[in-house]
């Protein structure tokens, strides 16, 4: 990584007041930098000789009409309130390096813009006919200033981190007038009337509103935006399918290199899937779970540093995130050598049967809990049949005794977050009713811990989960991840075809 000539703060080299007085602030160099300063001649040289790179006649982004409809729904819900939705800021990883930026879901959902420091503001208006509404403005960092040297001297200048869209370009792309975000805090401090802000993303914006907002009102805004995402529009459904299709390719990639993973570790699997995610999407949607052998019994095994052995199972839970931040979430439990043992197949087929029951229960008008209850009943029946827990099945379910081995819920909403719509009210989510456009995972599992003395030795260390992404349709459901086989014999044939 090159050593930047950065000031210690991201502000421009020249302070505005000093600039007006014709005085330059001393350039603050990084400690132990190799250059002691910038000569007047070099500073002057860097101001000129640059081509005009303004992009003109840009077409709106693909989701612009959808983000406009989402903002309209938000406006209708909170008439008369000023609404502030930040994208968030860069977060330090260590010293002067940052984590890759990911815009807040609320901001990305309403704008389609994914850059740091952005803020969407909806200001209340009144039309001539007396009806209320909002004027939307997207506040962004403008192009780096070449006159004061910010573009090459600031650590966040465009020479170091890449070109930003101008405010005019942003307005064309997102269909929202754009303004300089550096002026926003002062404007918000002077704002009057009711204000709501999405908290937790931009401390500076929140500080500017500290005397104007309440936690209760802000939570109402957050909850509304979470519930708005429960039903996906056409664009979102298409993006989820893209995410799943790329995820299918990633699973195929992994199967093809299982011999290399055996020679190294689970990290080879992690790296292989990550390559596909970065080539076809933005990133992975969450930390990949590449759990071989008994690691499959650890629900969120993301260390991925264990051995990969022939004869064991690999539980791969992974998803590609698209460039618009929609993620897949798919799990397959694969025999590393391509063939399930008798006990592995017995457990796998039980989970498959439970998943079939769960998927069948995903229907418009059904209760959200129905698919979970259907899958858990099958697993409870199997555990009683195998003699691992005393029946009858109703007793097992009433007491939740199956949970020693099933552990988790059978699914969750899916979208821009892998556990999407998490702030929604319980009555509209877990206690709610399925509607066309909702997308959820169905992912039953059985996990027999390596140290579980209540089960026979042959069960111990085997963990199986099968997970698919299911879109509720007008007439039933559509398995977005049907491109990956699920039945045990089909999995074996699929693996053989890829390895052959």
């Amino acid at each position: 990584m090159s050593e930047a000539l950065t000031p210690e703060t991201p502000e421009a080299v020249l302070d505005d007041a000093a600039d007006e007085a014709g005085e330059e602030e001393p350039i603050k160099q990084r400690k132990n930098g190799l250059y002691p300063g910038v000569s007047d001649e070099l500073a002057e040289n860097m101001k000129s000789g640059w081509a005009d790179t303004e992009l003109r006649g840009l077409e709106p982004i693909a989701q612009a009409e959808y983000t406009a409809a989402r903002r309209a729904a938000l406006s209708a819900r909170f008439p008369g309130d000023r609404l502030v939705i930040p994208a968030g800021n860069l977060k330090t990883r260590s010293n002067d390096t940052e984590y890759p930026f990911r815009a807040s879901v609320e901001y990305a959902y309403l704008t389609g813009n994914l850059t740091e420091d952005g803020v969407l503001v909806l200001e209340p208006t009144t039309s001539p006919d007396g009806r209320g509404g909002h004027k939307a403005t997207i506040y962004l960092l403008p192009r780096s200033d070449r006159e004061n040297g910010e573009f090459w001297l600031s650590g966040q200048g465009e020479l170091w981190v890449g070109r930003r869209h101008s405010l005019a370009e942003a307005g064309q792309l997102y269909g929202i007038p754009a303004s300089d975000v550096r002026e926003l805090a002062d404007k918000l401090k002077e704002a009057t009337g009711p204000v709501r802000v999405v908290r937790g993303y931009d401390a500076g914006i929140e500080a500017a509103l500290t005397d104007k907002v309440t936690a209760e009102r802000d939570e109402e805004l957050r909850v509304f935006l979470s519930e708005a995402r429960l039903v996906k529009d056409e664009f979102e459904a298409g993006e989820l399918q893209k995410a799943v299709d790329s995820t299918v390719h990633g699973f195929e990639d992994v199967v093809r290199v299982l011999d290399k993973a055996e020679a190294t570790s689970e990290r080879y699997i992690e790296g292989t899937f990550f390559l596909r995610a970065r080539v076809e999407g933005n990133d992975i949607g969450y930390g990949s779970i590449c759990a071989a052998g008994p690691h499959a019994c650890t629900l969120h095994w993301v260390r991925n540093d264990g051995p990969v052995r022939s004869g064991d199972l690999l539980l791969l839970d992974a998803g590609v995130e698209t460039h618009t931040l929609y993620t897949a979430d798919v799990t397959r439990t694969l025999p590393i050598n391509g063939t399930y043992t008798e006990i592995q197949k017995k457990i796998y087929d039980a989970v498959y049967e439970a998943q079939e029951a769960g998927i069948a229960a995903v229907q418009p008008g059904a209760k959200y809990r129905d698919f979970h209850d259907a899958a858990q009943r099958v697993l409870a029946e199997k555990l009683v049949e195998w003699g691992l827990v005393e029946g009858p099945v109703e007793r097992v379910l009433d007491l939740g005794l199956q949970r020693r081995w099933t552990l988790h819920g059978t699914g969750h909403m899916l979208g821009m977050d892998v556990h999407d719509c998490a702030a929604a009210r319980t009555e509209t989510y877990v206690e709610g009713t399925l509607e066309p456009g909702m997308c959820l995972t169905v992912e039953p599992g059985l996990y027999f811990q390596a140290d579980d003395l209540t089960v026979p030795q042959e069960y111990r260390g085997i963990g199986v989960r099968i997970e698919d992404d299911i879109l509720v349709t007008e007439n039933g459901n559509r398995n977005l991840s049907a491109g990956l086989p699920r039945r045990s014999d089909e999995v074996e044939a699929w693996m053989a075809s890829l390895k052959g």
Side-chain angles (χ1 to χ4, degrees), residues 99-368:
Y99 287 104
F101 179 75
R102 189 183 190 275
S104 75
V105 165
E106 294 87 350
Y107 175 85
Y109 177 75
L110 293 168
T111 67
N113 176 259
L114 305 178
T115 56
E116 66 269 17
D117 301 325
V119 184
L120 173 69
V121 177
L122 272 62
E123 297 185 24
T125 61
T126 302
S127 61
D129 59 6
R131 290 186 299 178
H134 286 85
K135 174 189 175 185
T137 304
I138 188 170
Y139 288 86
L140 302 166
L141 284 173
R143 296 289 310 279
S144 289
D145 191 335
R146 303 211 172 195
E147 185 64 26
N148 68 9
E150 182 261 342
F151 83 102
W152 71 288
L153 289 171
S154 168
Q156 295 304 317
E158 288 179 309
L159 185 147
W160 293 102
V161 300
R163 184 187 189 277
R164 294 191 287 267
H165 283 298
S166 70
L167 298 180
E169 292 169 356
Q172 296 173 61
L173 289 169
Y174 306 111
I176 313 170
S179 292
D180 190 337
V181 72
R182 295 172 297 187
E183 303 169 357
L184 179 59
D186 288 339
K187 289 183 178 180
L188 293 177
K189 288 176 182 177
E190 299 171 0
T192 58
V195 183
R196 299 175 191 260
V197 63
V198 177
R199 300 191 182 199
Y201 297 117
D202 194 318
I205 293 299
E206 290 180 37
L209 294 170
T210 186
D211 60 341
K212 306 177 191 302
V213 296
T214 67
E216 181 180 4
R217 289 167 52 79
D218 292 348
E219 180 64 11
E220 289 174 349
L221 173 60
R222 188 173 79 104
V223 168
F224 173 81
L225 289 173
S226 193
E227 293 184 359
R229 302 198 311 275
L230 283 168
V231 176
K232 272 60 182 178
D233 57 37
E234 183 182 13
F235 176 84
E236 293 178 290
E239 289 300 293
L240 285 166
Q241 186 65 70
K242 287 181 187 177
V244 170
D245 290 346
S246 291
T247 299
V248 169
H249 296 156
F251 275 67
E252 293 169 346
D253 295 339
V254 167
V255 171
R256 291 189 180 101
V257 300
L258 280 177
D259 57 335
K260 294 182 173 63
E262 286 186 60
T264 52
S265 75
E266 294 163 340
R267 290 194 174 181
Y268 203 97
I269 295 166
E270 179 183 4
T272 298
F273 187 85
F274 179 71
L275 177 61
R276 178 64 66 172
R278 288 292 283 164
V279 168
E280 293 193 2
N282 175 60
D283 206 331
I284 49 174
Y286 54 95
S288 299
I289 299 169
C290 308
H295 288 163
C297 299
T298 301
L299 297 184
H300 288 168
W301 178 259
V302 293
R303 299 180 202 171
N304 299 334
D305 58 0
V308 179
R309 300 187 179 99
S310 178
D312 283 347
L313 296 176
L314 166 67
L315 189 156
L316 178 58
D317 184 337
V320 172
E321 177 186 80
T322 67
H323 294 290
T324 55
L325 306 188
Y326 289 85
T327 185
D329 182 7
V330 178
T331 306
R332 291 293 182 269
T333 305
L334 311 172
I336 291 168
N337 64 9
T339 304
Y340 295 101
T341 66
E342 183 177 348
I343 185 64
Q344 289 170 351
K345 186 176 186 300
K346 173 183 174 179
I347 296 169
Y348 183 95
D349 288 348
V351 175
Y352 170 77
E353 187 177 330
Q355 195 201 26
E356 283 283 272
I359 292 174
V362 177
Q363 302 285 333
K367 292 296 183 183
Y368 175 83

Side-chain angles (χ1 to χ4, degrees), residues 457-497:
Q457 179 68 45
E458 63 178 349
Y459 287 79
R460 297 174 198 168
I462 295 177
V464 173
R465 180 163 66 252
I466 312 171
E467 178 181 20
D468 285 86
D469 301 341
I470 310 298
L471 181 70
V472 183
T473 63
E474 294 287 346
N475 301 314
N477 68 64
R478 176 159 59 94
N479 185 349
L480 301 180
S481 43
L484 282 176
R486 293 185 294 125
R487 210 172 64 198
S488 57
D489 60 335
E490 293 176 342
V491 169
E492 291 176 337
W494 170 70
M495 293 182 69
S497 69

Side-chain angles (χ1 to χ4, degrees), residues 14-25 148:
L14 302 181
D15 177 80
D16 288 341
D19 189 49
E20 290 174 1
E23 300 174 1
E24 293 190 1
E25 284 273 305
N148 68 9

